[in-house]
Amino acid sequence: MSTDTPDPRLADISVSHNPQRSRYEILDGDTVVGHADYRDGEGTRRVFVHTEVDENYGGLGLAGRLVKFALDDVAAHDGRIVPVCPYVARYVAEHHEYDTIVDRPEGTHETQ
């Protein structure tokens, strides 16, 4: 029997798109505990500008889960990703499966 007990804070976690608020949200039940904000850019571009997760949920990998959901949604709709948010920029730099749909923000250089 495994001694790994899942963190009880993960029991009711879900991720959804809230286009009315131009963001993807991670929820604990009905409570939003994090979000990845975007603005629609030119054509099919979705410009990610900010990501945050409630500090009480820190260390659970929720930011990564949220951003993966958001980027997969953009990809599923034949969109393009513009990572202005530092977290999203780092995420796409480490996850090369998104390389073909990433547009670098104008006036910036490659991220770390």
Side-chain angles (χ1 to χ4, degrees):
M1 179 171 228
S2 174
T3 58
D4 291 334
T5 304
D7 192 303
R9 295 175 291 176
L10 296 175
D12 295 319
I13 297 296
S14 63
V15 187
S16 66
H17 183 203
N18 185 339
Q20 294 80 16
R21 297 194 70 186
S22 298
R23 69 187 196 177
Y24 291 87
E25 299 174 335
I26 195 151
L27 302 104
D28 184 355
D30 293 329
T31 303
V32 175
V33 298
H35 50 91
D37 303 336
Y38 66 84
R39 62 179 169 77
D40 288 325
E42 184 178 322
T44 62
R45 290 185 178 131
R46 184 149 288 165
V47 182
F48 287 90
V49 295
H50 179 72
T51 301
E52 70 178 73
V53 172
D54 183 309
E55 64 185 30
N56 293 319
Y57 291 81
L60 298 175
L62 297 185
R65 183 171 167 184
L66 172 62
V67 169
K68 179 181 181 352
F69 179 93
L71 302 184
D72 287 348
D73 183 64
V74 172
H77 292 94
D78 297 321
R80 310 239 358 123
I81 299 160
V82 181
V84 174
C85 166
Y87 186 88
V88 175
R90 278 191 309 274
Y91 191 92
V92 298
E94 295 171 3
H95 294 85
H96 297 286
E97 63 266 32
Y98 301 105
D99 286 352
T100 60
I101 63 169
V102 172
D103 293 334
R104 295 288 164 208
E106 290 185 27
T108 63
H109 301 285
E110 291 292 317
T111 57
Q112 304 84 318

